[in-house]
Amino acid sequence: MHQSQNKALWSGRFSSSPADIMRKFSQSLDYDWSFYKHDLQGSRAHAKMLHTINIFTLEELTLILSSLDEIEEEIMTGKFVPKISLEDVHMNIESRLIEKLGPLGAKIHTGRSRNDQVATDYRLFMKEAIEKLKSKLITFLDVLLTKAQEDIDVVIPGFTHLQHAQPISLGHYWMAYFWKFSRDFKRFNEAYITTDVNPLGAGALAGSTLPLDRQFTTNELGFSSITENSLDTVSDRDYLLEFLFAASTFMLTTSRLSEDLIIWCTSEFDFIDPPDAFCTGSSMMPNKKNPDALELTRGKTSGVLSSLYDLMANIKGLPLTYNRDLQEDKRPVFHTIDTVNIVLDVLTPLITGIKAQEDKIKPHLEKGFLLATDIAEYLVQKGVPFRETHDIVGNIVQFCIKEHKTFNDLSLKDWKEYHFSFEEDIKDILSPLSAIDRRTTFGGTARSEVTRQISAGKALLEGLS
Ligand code: ARG
């Protein structure tokens, strides 16, 4: 006897069916219908394995496989509309198979539970999603390398505490983000490795009395290894947490980058002109060009951080093994995948289109005594102890502020009043471009070092793609 269309596949033990509101409450189709391809893929592998252990004859397997293909076709052409009454993607597809094949279809769930089935679908789904994100991130990293090359000669003030600190190459700045995002890439990759383990065969929680061949499904599904413990397998969601953590640090990186760029777009700074295509205007003020894409990126970051917390809080108190709470693991992850994708889709052309406004940046280099450390180090080269030079230059800065002067306005006589070691060559120190090029420390802002970083970055990218 097989189930009628709307009857749950587990209804045997029940004398009445769930309340309508319970069906609505219990269903996960809103999310897990996205797993249909992976669910079919898992069923194909499971069916083939069942054939190897003589549960299915070859003819039966052939029928099962062709019916699964038909179901896929029906889904893709919109002929198969899943039913909420059947709870989730797993039971919808299984019910359709039973509709098609009767008792033979009813054999597909042999040795399998939705608990290992959902784990299998999810891991297959995540492997694809992470691969897609990784390739978008590689493109984005490449854009940062291009920007670094393009803007290597552009000198901007570098900041600490959002106060002028020392001059830096804008190329150096873009490379800072290149390295940050390359670590986010590494974390996505780690999450991929943790995900790439086959849960199928764990059953509901304890394995199976049937001689299931887990190595067979592992090969068939393209997983790199097999989960070791069935109890762990059906209760484990930490591969998702790892992904959410990688996504969270990625979003934090985009958010900090956005924050800088938003500041740089203000009339007060005016360092960059973001592309019109990624800004919006005001409904009232005709003068406005707002960097909304960057603000939205910063704003969307909180949603992703909350998703990590959402799943951690879900898991925190769960006893082993499967609990229905785990069905709620999809909302935060799906939201995060969508957000990271769209943020990469927006930031990639946005950053490509950013123009550095050198003429607007120049006057800023005159402010904030950016070369103070250079002057102190000039005296160090003449043998003056650094603490003393720090004090001397601090006094010069104080003098300049009082007199409304810059370092360039000082005569050699003025310099000498502060220390006899100052010579004519102090003038050579006072150019921002030479100031960046003197910082040749490994990882410093000298153009020679930025060039080295760009080559290292290129080599890294070549290794990734
Ligand atoms: N829809 C469920 C989920 O997403 C599938 C597993 C249901 N298992 C169960 N024992 N009720 O987690």
Side-chain angles (χ1 to χ4, degrees), residues 134-392:
K134 275 169 57 189
S135 88
K136 284 191 186 181
L137 193 44
I138 288 178
T139 309
F140 184 60
L141 285 166
D142 201 34
V143 163
L144 289 170
L145 281 182
T146 308
K147 292 306 284 181
Q149 191 64 66
E150 244 170 60
D151 292 337
I152 192 168
D153 299 330
V154 179
V155 184
I156 61 166
F159 297 85
T160 62
H161 314 269
L162 204 53
Q163 303 288 324
H164 276 202
Q166 295 175 353
I168 57 168
S169 149
L170 182 52
H172 193 48
Y173 177 88
W174 294 126
M175 284 311 291
Y177 273 98
F178 174 89
W179 298 115
K180 285 184 195 299
F181 282 114
S182 76
R183 292 190 296 277
D184 293 325
F185 182 94
K186 207 168 114 200
R187 279 184 282 268
F188 279 123
N189 201 43
E190 289 299 323
Y192 181 93
I193 293 167
T194 308
T195 304
D196 187 18
V197 188
N198 182 19
L200 193 58
L205 76 162
S208 172
T209 60
L210 302 164
L212 306 182
D213 183 349
R214 296 193 63 201
Q215 187 59 55
F216 181 93
T217 54
T218 301
N219 300 342
E220 200 60 31
L221 294 171
F223 282 112
S224 294
S225 58
I226 314 177
T227 57
E228 292 281 347
N229 178 305
S230 61
L231 303 177
D232 175 33
T233 304
V234 296
S235 58
D236 167 31
R237 295 294 182 273
D238 53 48
Y239 65 101
L240 296 176
L241 289 179
E242 214 172 308
F243 167 74
L244 290 175
F245 180 71
S248 295
T249 64
F250 165 81
M251 287 303 296
L252 289 174
T253 316
T254 64
S255 188
R256 294 181 73 182
L257 172 62
S258 299
E259 172 69 6
D260 270 338
L261 300 181
I262 290 165
I263 292 174
W264 291 1
C265 293
T266 58
S267 312
E268 285 72 17
F269 278 72
D270 225 4
F271 286 9
I272 53 165
D273 186 22
D276 278 6
F278 293 95
C279 294
T280 59
S282 153
S283 57
M284 186 187 189
M285 300 169 283
N287 53 323
K288 297 297 299 256
K289 174 174 168 183
N290 297 324
D292 294 37
L294 296 166
E295 292 170 331
L296 283 166
T297 300
R298 192 176 55 186
K300 284 176 188 293
T301 301
S302 61
V304 172
L305 302 186
S306 310
S307 294
L308 171 62
Y309 189 72
D310 182 340
L311 189 57
M312 288 199 294
N314 178 324
I315 290 168
K316 177 185 168 290
L318 294 188
L320 292 197
T321 55
Y322 180 85
N323 299 271
R324 197 62 183 277
D325 317 43
L326 290 175
Q327 179 168 294
E328 297 292 313
D329 61 357
K330 292 164 199 74
R331 177 192 56 255
V333 175
F334 285 24
H335 168 78
T336 295
I337 293 171
D338 290 347
T339 307
V340 173
N341 266 297
I342 196 157
V343 162
L344 276 168
D345 291 344
V346 166
L347 284 188
T348 305
L350 191 160
I351 300 292
T352 306
I354 281 183
K355 294 261 170 305
Q357 316 205 94
E358 280 193 81
D359 52 325
K360 303 271 177 59
I361 297 170
K362 264 216 171 90
H364 289 272
L365 297 172
E366 300 297 318
K367 295 184 245 175
F369 304 96
L370 286 166
L371 300 182
T373 319
D374 296 63
I375 298 166
E377 286 175 2
Y378 163 92
L379 286 180
V380 165
Q381 306 260 31
K382 309 246 172 188
V384 188
F386 178 72
R387 267 299 146 235
E388 207 182 306
T389 70
H390 188 284
D391 209 45
I392 293 165

